[in-house]
Amino acid sequence: MPLTSSLASSLKFAAPMLALLAATLPFAAADARADEPDKRTISLSATGAVKTTPDKVDITTGVTSEGQTARAALDKNTEAMSKVVDGLKAAGIDPKDIQTTNFSVSPIYEQRKQGEPAFITGYRVTNSVHITVRDTAKLGDILDKVVTLGANQIGSISFGVSEPEALKDEARKQAMREAIANAKLYAEAAGVELGPCSTIAEEDDGYTPRYAAGGGPHGHGQGRAHRGRTATVQTRIRVTWELR
């Protein structure tokens, strides 16, 4: 049935009004949300740490050799490094725990008189490996062996844990307990009530080697290099609560 002229006229008049109303509704909703007060919150960081006896040691060691030519320096370095690696394998180090971390060949310059360009007098080859010793009692013997076999670089020595996941979980629980205790303390002191937890974020984690007083990390012989050492697995979190 065709629309009457009166109904068509009414719809024609109402259409602009409906469009105007639809356009103003989002602004009205936004104004209503803007009138709502911001929620009060408290945000705290906390750290959980679990100490344990390390069950591995990571060592960086290597050989630096020099020669009049790059080939001479390389041959000398290869021979010395092969002795070191073969000696490590003979000492019980798994080949997968011996990884090359740096290999470089660079010229050696000698400066002439002022104003004259420097000239090359030879070449230097450096070869470094990362070693994981999984029996910490052998650390002193391993260090003695690599030096005896020709290693002339001993870099970092770091004590750690092979499978830290269970310790990480305990550290997380400790951190959360500390965060909750501190949040309750602050809320009580401020005269407010602690509301629900809104966010939990893990900021960092990892091992932290701790060395006991007396004896540095480069001790040699008879297992002294690992005595008194602890490895700390730690986690830091940030937690936010609403306040009531």
Side-chain angles (χ1 to χ4, degrees):
M1 179 182 294
L3 294 173
T4 65
S5 59
S6 176
L7 179 58
S9 177
S10 298
L11 289 175
K12 182 178 181 181
F13 174 77
M17 298 297 294
L18 290 172
L20 178 62
L21 180 60
T24 57
L25 280 175
F27 294 100
D31 290 340
R33 289 194 298 269
D35 292 337
E36 294 180 1
D38 292 335
K39 291 182 179 180
R40 298 181 301 168
T41 62
I42 180 174
S43 183
L44 296 174
S45 292
T47 300
V50 179
K51 293 183 179 181
T52 186
T53 301
D55 61 4
K56 70 168 186 173
V57 187
D58 293 305
I59 307 168
T60 301
T61 186
V63 176
T64 295
S65 306
E66 296 181 357
Q68 290 186 340
T69 65
R71 169 57 63 184
L74 180 60
D75 289 345
K76 188 185 299 184
N77 187 275
T78 300
E79 182 181 358
M81 202 64 196
S82 296
K83 290 180 180 179
V84 171
V85 172
D86 290 343
L88 289 170
K89 293 177 181 178
I93 304 297
D94 194 310
K96 69 180 179 61
D97 289 330
I98 306 172
Q99 301 292 330
T100 299
T101 57
N102 176 56
F103 182 84
S104 64
V105 180
S106 58
I108 303 172
Y109 291 95
E110 181 175 315
Q111 187 66 44
R112 292 181 175 178
K113 295 180 181 180
Q114 187 174 2
E116 296 183 0
F119 63 97
I120 297 174
T121 60
Y123 289 85
R124 179 180 294 112
V125 175
T126 298
N127 192 350
S128 301
V129 293
H130 176 272
I131 306 166
T132 299
V133 181
R134 301 191 183 277
D135 183 354
T136 59
K138 292 183 177 180
L139 176 58
D141 293 336
I142 295 297
L143 291 175
D144 286 334
K145 182 176 287 293
V146 295
V147 171
T148 300
L149 291 174
N152 51 17
Q153 292 183 341
I154 300 292
S156 62
I157 298 178
S158 177
F159 292 83
V161 182
S162 298
E163 298 180 358
E165 288 306 317
L167 298 175
K168 282 185 181 179
D169 289 344
E170 182 57 35
R172 291 177 178 118
K173 293 177 183 178
Q174 286 187 13
M176 195 65 199
R177 287 195 292 267
E178 179 184 342
I180 292 172
N182 290 339
K184 288 181 178 178
L185 178 64
Y186 279 114
E188 181 181 354
V192 296
E193 184 179 349
L194 199 64
C197 175
S198 58
T199 63
I200 304 174
E202 192 167 290
E203 295 184 339
D204 55 48
D205 58 13
Y207 316 124
T208 304
R210 305 293 187 191
Y211 300 115
H218 298 283
H220 285 225
Q222 305 303 318
R224 292 193 302 273
H226 77 286
R227 292 179 183 173
R229 304 300 196 274
T230 60
T232 300
V233 179
Q234 64 182 23
T235 298
R236 184 171 180 82
I237 62 173
R238 174 166 287 274
V239 188
T240 301
W241 290 265
E242 294 180 13
L243 294 176
R244 291 195 286 255

